[in-house]
Amino acid sequence: MAFFPCPYLNSDVELTDEREHHITLRHPDLLPSYRECIHDTLVLPDEVRRSSRIGNARLFSRWFEWLRGGKYVVVVVISDLVPTERHWVVTAYMARRLAKGGNVEWERT
């Protein structure tokens, strides 16, 4: 299990071994080679958007010019508040463009 700092949430975000395995299987272009991009995206995202599909999920995204000719890394974080506050990565992936769904909560200017 790994923990990544996330100033936006004022908390650490958990990446369980099971979720890391999921990302490695489903998105092998991201993990294990670009693990630091997950860290960097959570530390300093370009945008934080509320998921339109999952009420307690946020999509953290950041553009990496050097990554495979220019890609976004999107890290989807679930925030559970009960029984205790917990933020955890459900998935992460690379994208050429960001989806338009959900409400933008924050953008870096």
Side-chain angles (χ1 to χ4, degrees):
M1 183 172 327
F3 291 90
F4 298 102
C6 182
Y8 180 80
L9 295 173
N10 196 29
S11 182
D12 286 336
V13 174
E14 181 180 320
L15 176 61
T16 64
D17 295 339
E18 185 272 330
R19 292 284 85 199
E20 186 168 359
H21 182 70
H22 161 83
I23 296 166
T24 301
L25 288 177
R26 299 287 177 116
H27 308 286
D29 53 337
L30 181 60
L31 284 182
S33 299
Y34 300 107
R35 183 185 178 97
E36 75 277 2
C37 291
I38 293 174
H39 170 273
D40 295 348
T41 300
L42 291 171
V43 168
L44 189 60
D46 292 333
E47 179 182 280
V48 179
R49 184 181 292 261
R50 278 283 186 180
S51 171
S52 59
R53 295 179 13 195
I54 305 169
N56 60 339
R58 288 181 178 92
L59 286 74
F60 289 77
S61 59
R62 180 171 169 172
W63 176 257
F64 293 90
E65 187 70 39
W66 55 266
L67 185 62
R68 296 185 167 230
K71 299 276 190 214
Y72 285 98
V73 170
V74 179
V75 182
V76 182
V77 176
I78 302 289
S79 295
D80 294 326
L81 301 177
V82 178
T84 60
E85 185 177 50
R86 176 181 176 230
H87 307 284
W88 53 280
V89 174
V90 67
T91 195
Y93 55 90
M94 288 184 200
R96 283 189 209 129
R97 288 178 268 133
L98 295 177
K100 298 294 181 192
N103 295 322
V104 175
E105 282 188 346
W106 182 86
E107 285 182 290
R108 183 166 29 151
T109 55

